[in-house]
Amino acid sequence: MSAASSFPSAPAGVSSFCQQAWEQVFPKVKRAVVFMDSACAESLHWTWGGAGRLLQAGALNVKEFSSFESAGVEQPKAVFVVSTLLKGRTVDIIRDIVSLSNFQYTVVFTAVSHAVHLQAHNASGGAETEGGSQVVFEQFEEKLCQWMGNMNYTAEVQYAALFLAPISPHLFMLPAFSFLFPLMAQDLAQINNGRPEKKKFANLSDVDFSSLSSELQLEIRALGSGLNTLFEYLGVREECFAVGPLSRIIAGDLANYPQAKTRRKTAQSKASVIFVDRTLDLTGAVGHHGDNLAEKILSVLPKLPGHANDVMVSMVELTALQTEDANCSIIAPGCLAQPADPAAKALWESLMNLKQKEAVMEIRRHLVEAASRENLPIRMSMGRVTPEQLASFTQLFKKKPEALENHCGLLQIALAAVQTLKHPQNAKWDNFLAFERLLMQNLGESALPGVLNQLLPSIKSRNNRTDDDYTPGDLLILLVYIYSIAGEVNTGKELDEAEGKVKESLVHSICDEPELSTLLQKITGCESSLDLTYQKVMAATNKIFKTLRDITKARAQMKQFNSVYNPGSNTLQASYKPLLKQVMEEIYNPDRPDPIDIEHMSSGLTDLLKTGFSMFMKVSRPHPSDHPLLIVFMVGGVTVSEVKMVKDLLSAHKPGAQIIVLSSVLLTPLSILELIFTTDHLQPDIGI
């Protein structure tokens, strides 16, 4: 398609890496009951289309990885597919399922390498030699035989790199790391609590790998190990760069990962990998500035159960079922991931790359072409494309089951767009955008207290709200937007008073909620509005504002990227300048200055010598623009608009280069609030 042709290319190898990882699993599932956890299910969903591919490979059934599941008496073979370490809760669940079943042959695939298992069992990760015995896996095979009740039964444990979900040719998510989020100031206080006075860290940038919790260390090591497997497949030798404290730790761990050092000696190609902390720019994650239909679909439609990166599309209107219930669950929902349908896949990629107006025209073009091929009586009308027009086109397929089946993937994406454009939350999107722009203008004129006073009239209790007014969740989105774009602020009486008024109004608004959203349940610690008390809500609100103050300090240690706000002038409006855009422009700056805030992580003595000599000799230090492949890893999630922006910038600055964007999760304004306010960043739940 012409609109996408100007984009930089993506190495085909990453998509085939995802497919090949699953091709290890398929031969083993024949005549087996498969038990799979959510993160691996999400990887399979985007790579091969889901459980259907396992059934096609001969699986008898596909079940949730849960202690409440088991296999029938005449089902002697099991395959477990897990994204986690074989330790703690994962082991308990496998033991429960095996004990409740009658297996004689059990295969376990884990997406965590044996080297990381060694570290989890307090052995040295570097102790593993090439072709050496995999002692942790062998011990687990013995346990499986014990649980099956006969040491002569067969048990196999294997590593398979099932950690990526290919969202588009350039964009890959890591579902198992969807709760990995950069550290904030309150996390620093927690780290310092356990340290002697003289060894306390002054800043987050001083924190090192060894001072993190064992859970977070293992999660970072598992991430580095997975990326090492990917780079080995691609045959690349990478230079690691970082922007932000947690990115620095992750990049440093990857740079010095023992297995990576061995691989780099023989790698044929080169790449620059740059890790960026999400917390340095939360404005981009909660803002509504992206004119992108794919982003709106992800934000507006309900999440597919167990998935962090896909949504449920109601398919009821393409059936004969008569119901007014929008949440009718009789008909299985549609989704966005259509890896087996080239036309649907191409349309989804277009939605991610085009502006909304162009995207709806592209949907119409696809539907018209599909209807013409099926000889359906389509009536074309030129002019503006409306959701009603698109809905009427999808209805044509309802009358011809064969056509419905042939174009099912395309219809799912078209209906996702129709349902999003008709959704009341979509109308609110423009309200958000207008209000965010207004707040941004006022930030330059009246500083943070003035902006908070301006927000005050928008905080209304449930009884006084219309559909256009902001819910408590919406208000938290706006507060994160304001505090992130403001950056470092002058604290004092004026700010305390402005915050006090907003807190009081917000507390009353939350207390008046008849039903608590999932987010408010997690923030307040109350499952029902009946459990709410003024004291509980005020305590939760105080904690929220402490976190908001932390957000203003996120860029305090940055010298170059210390602001995402352009205050404007008499002739120019104030504007938001995305951190990722600043990073990309610095990388491809034609003058090639030594990056100030983009830190190169050395991978050994040679790099250290280069860095040392460069102080008094003309030795070129590694630069992120040196290599033909750029891999950007956003730690803590990325938005569709940011991915498009990065691709556009690369096309403009270095047309021949290739790009891959990796991240832990596809963000929406609401989903990042959970990561900021309700996730334990220091103690991730890795199941041990």
Side-chain angles (χ1 to χ4, degrees), residues 27-49:
K28 294 288 183 183
V29 303
K30 197 170 183 184
R31 293 195 290 276
V33 179
V34 180
F35 299 88
M36 182 160 46
D37 71 13
S38 296
C40 286
E42 193 158 7
S43 169
L44 179 65
H45 175 75
W46 284 97
T47 308
W48 286 102

Side-chain angles (χ1 to χ4, degrees), residues 573-612:
Q573 283 194 324
S575 60
Y576 157 62
K577 46 177 188 180
L579 182 101
L580 260 182
K581 185 178 186 184
Q582 295 180 50
V583 170
M584 290 294 288
E585 286 174 346
E586 179 60 20
I587 290 174
Y588 294 107
N589 184 333
D591 300 334
R592 277 179 61 97
D594 266 353
I596 300 166
D597 288 333
I598 304 173
E599 192 175 349
H600 175 248
M601 308 310 296
S602 60
S603 58
L605 187 61
T606 315
D607 278 347
L608 285 171
L609 287 172
K610 270 188 191 177
T611 308

Side-chain angles (χ1 to χ4, degrees), residues 86 91 94 136-144 147 157:
L86 301 178
V91 173
I94 292 175
V136 180
F137 289 175
E138 287 165 9
Q139 287 169 358
F140 196 68
E141 287 171 357
E142 285 183 21
K143 277 187 186 174
L144 287 166
W147 298 334
V157 178

Side-chain angles (χ1 to χ4, degrees), residues 83-90 112 116 120 176-177 213-220 222 683-688:
S83 59
T84 49
L85 282 161
L86 301 178
K87 204 174 179 200
R89 191 169 64 234
T90 302
V112 180
V116 181
F177 299 90
S213 67
S214 56
E215 291 91 343
L216 189 50
Q217 284 187 23
L218 284 169
E219 186 158 47
I220 289 170
Q683 309 273 347
D685 181 8
I686 58 168
I688 62 170

Side-chain angles (χ1 to χ4, degrees), residues 116-393:
V116 181
H117 277 85
L118 279 174
Q119 185 186 338
H121 289 81
N122 299 319
S124 163
E128 187 178 50
T129 54
E130 286 297 314
S133 69
Q134 300 200 318
V135 60
V136 180
F137 289 175
E138 287 165 9
Q139 287 169 358
F140 196 68
E141 287 171 357
E142 285 183 21
K143 277 187 186 174
L144 287 166
C145 289
Q146 286 170 16
W147 298 334
M148 286 190 285
N150 188 328
M151 296 309 285
N152 293 320
Y153 285 166
T154 308
E156 295 171 19
V157 178
Q158 295 181 31
Y159 164 61
L162 311 170
F163 63 94
L164 287 177
I167 310 295
S168 78
H170 295 89
L171 179 62
F172 299 82
M173 291 298 118
L174 289 80
F177 299 90
S178 60
F179 291 102
L180 177 66
F181 200 72
L183 304 179
M184 297 171 79
Q186 61 208 26
D187 301 313
L188 177 64
Q190 209 177 320
I191 291 170
N192 278 335
N193 278 345
R195 297 178 71 82
E197 198 59 43
K198 287 183 179 176
K199 293 192 174 180
K200 290 192 189 301
F201 297 114
N203 299 299
L204 273 171
S205 49
D206 300 330
V207 175
D208 57 11
F209 182 82
S210 61
S211 57
L212 302 176
S213 67
S214 56
E215 291 91 343
L216 189 50
Q217 284 187 23
L218 284 169
E219 186 158 47
I220 289 170
R221 189 55 54 87
L223 174 59
S225 170
L227 292 175
N228 177 58
T229 312
L230 170 64
F231 298 155
E232 186 169 5
Y233 181 86
L234 295 176
V236 299
R237 176 190 170 177
E238 78 286 2
E239 294 285 358
C240 296
F241 300 88
V243 183
L246 188 64
S247 286
R248 188 174 170 274
I249 293 172
I250 295 170
D253 191 59
L254 175 61
N256 292 288
Y257 186 58
Q259 283 81 351
K261 289 182 177 182
T262 314
R263 162 181 57 78
R264 289 187 198 113
K265 289 173 187 169
T266 55
Q268 298 298 306
S269 316
K270 289 186 175 181
S272 295
V273 186
I274 180 160
F275 294 86
V276 182
D277 276 8
R278 173 78 266 172
T279 40
L280 298 173
D281 180 6
L282 293 172
T283 311
V286 291
H288 294 72
H289 35 255
D291 180 20
N292 188 290
L293 186 54
E295 196 158 80
K296 289 184 182 178
I297 290 170
L298 290 163
S299 300
V300 165
L301 297 185
K303 284 275 180 277
L304 203 56
H307 288 249
N309 303 295
D310 206 345
V311 296
M312 289 198 285
V313 184
S314 170
M315 303 303 289
V316 173
E317 54 204 271
L318 290 185
T319 69
L321 187 68
Q322 303 292 318
T323 177
E324 294 298 311
D325 180 10
N327 301 317
C328 175
S329 57
I330 297 171
I331 305 296
C335 60
L336 301 172
Q338 303 293 336
D341 184 333
K345 202 173 166 189
L347 179 57
W348 167 240
E349 284 158 27
S350 298
L351 298 197
M352 295 179 81
N353 292 328
L354 298 172
K355 290 189 171 176
Q356 181 174 314
K357 190 178 174 185
E358 297 162 340
V360 289
M361 288 171 72
E362 189 65 10
I363 294 168
R364 179 173 69 178
R365 186 178 71 78
H366 273 266
L367 286 172
V368 168
E369 283 180 8
S372 302
R373 277 202 297 275
E374 298 290 348
N375 295 320
L376 296 171
I378 197 153
R379 288 226 298 274
M380 267 302 288
S381 62
M382 299 312 289
R384 192 166 152 266
V385 185
T386 63
E388 290 73 22
Q389 185 191 50
L390 295 178
S392 69
F393 288 172

Side-chain angles (χ1 to χ4, degrees), residues 272-584:
S272 295
V273 186
I274 180 160
F275 294 86
V276 182
D277 276 8
R278 173 78 266 172
T279 40
L280 298 173
D281 180 6
L282 293 172
T283 311
V286 291
H288 294 72
H289 35 255
D291 180 20
N292 188 290
L293 186 54
E295 196 158 80
K296 289 184 182 178
I297 290 170
L298 290 163
S299 300
V300 165
L301 297 185
K303 284 275 180 277
L304 203 56
H307 288 249
N309 303 295
D310 206 345
V311 296
M312 289 198 285
V313 184
S314 170
M315 303 303 289
V316 173
E317 54 204 271
L318 290 185
T319 69
L321 187 68
Q322 303 292 318
T323 177
E324 294 298 311
D325 180 10
N327 301 317
C328 175
S329 57
I330 297 171
I331 305 296
C335 60
L336 301 172
Q338 303 293 336
D341 184 333
K345 202 173 166 189
L347 179 57
W348 167 240
E349 284 158 27
S350 298
L351 298 197
M352 295 179 81
N353 292 328
L354 298 172
K355 290 189 171 176
Q356 181 174 314
K357 190 178 174 185
E358 297 162 340
V360 289
M361 288 171 72
E362 189 65 10
I363 294 168
R364 179 173 69 178
R365 186 178 71 78
H366 273 266
L367 286 172
V368 168
E369 283 180 8
S372 302
R373 277 202 297 275
E374 298 290 348
N375 295 320
L376 296 171
I378 197 153
R379 288 226 298 274
M380 267 302 288
S381 62
M382 299 312 289
R384 192 166 152 266
V385 185
T386 63
E388 290 73 22
Q389 185 191 50
L390 295 178
S392 69
F393 288 172
T394 61
Q395 287 296 309
L396 296 170
F397 293 83
K398 183 176 172 179
K399 297 164 188 148
K400 191 175 176 185
E402 193 183 329
L404 191 64
E405 193 175 340
N406 290 343
H407 303 283
C408 190
L410 178 66
L411 292 167
Q412 287 174 62
I413 289 170
L415 283 174
V418 169
Q419 287 160 26
T420 298
L421 294 169
K422 286 182 171 181
H423 201 284
Q425 200 65 30
N426 183 50
K428 221 177 191 180
W429 189 280
D430 294 334
N431 295 355
F432 265 112
L433 179 60
F435 198 43
E436 284 163 2
R437 283 182 177 160
L438 185 66
L439 294 169
M440 188 158 48
Q441 297 307 322
N442 289 358
L443 192 60
E445 294 161 20
S446 59
L448 187 56
V451 174
L452 290 176
N453 289 331
Q454 193 184 9
L455 181 68
L456 208 49
S458 303
I459 306 174
K460 298 177 183 176
S461 62
R462 184 72 192 90
N463 300 333
N464 301 326
R465 280 204 308 263
T466 66
D467 287 344
D468 292 336
D469 288 320
Y470 298 117
T471 66
D474 295 339
L475 292 162
L476 289 179
I477 289 171
L478 288 167
L479 283 166
V480 171
Y481 182 90
I482 294 165
Y483 277 75
S484 176
I485 205 162
E488 284 194 272
V489 291
N490 296 321
T491 54
K493 189 181 172 188
E494 196 186 356
L495 181 58
D496 290 344
E497 284 177 2
E499 283 187 343
K501 288 176 193 170
V502 172
K503 281 183 195 177
E504 195 65 39
S505 295
L506 194 57
V507 167
H508 285 299
S509 174
I510 294 171
C511 287
D512 286 348
E513 285 296 291
E515 278 184 46
L516 295 181
S517 64
T518 310
L519 175 69
L520 288 180
Q521 286 176 18
K522 289 182 179 179
I523 285 174
T524 58
C526 299
E527 286 186 15
S528 158
S529 55
L530 299 171
D531 304 330
L532 285 180
T533 64
Y534 178 85
Q535 286 76 13
K536 281 181 185 175
V537 180
M538 183 50 94
T541 306
N542 282 331
K543 202 174 164 195
I544 285 168
F545 274 81
K546 193 170 182 299
T547 304
L548 290 170
R549 290 272 187 109
D550 286 354
I551 288 169
T552 65
K553 300 172 197 156
R555 295 182 294 272
Q557 297 299 307
M558 295 278 141
K559 296 178 181 70
Q560 190 178 7
F561 307 137
N562 58 1
S563 174
V564 294
Y565 179 61
N566 192 339
S569 63
N570 294 337
T571 51
L572 286 172
Q573 283 194 324
S575 60
Y576 157 62
K577 46 177 188 180
L579 182 101
L580 260 182
K581 185 178 186 184
Q582 295 180 50
V583 170
M584 290 294 288

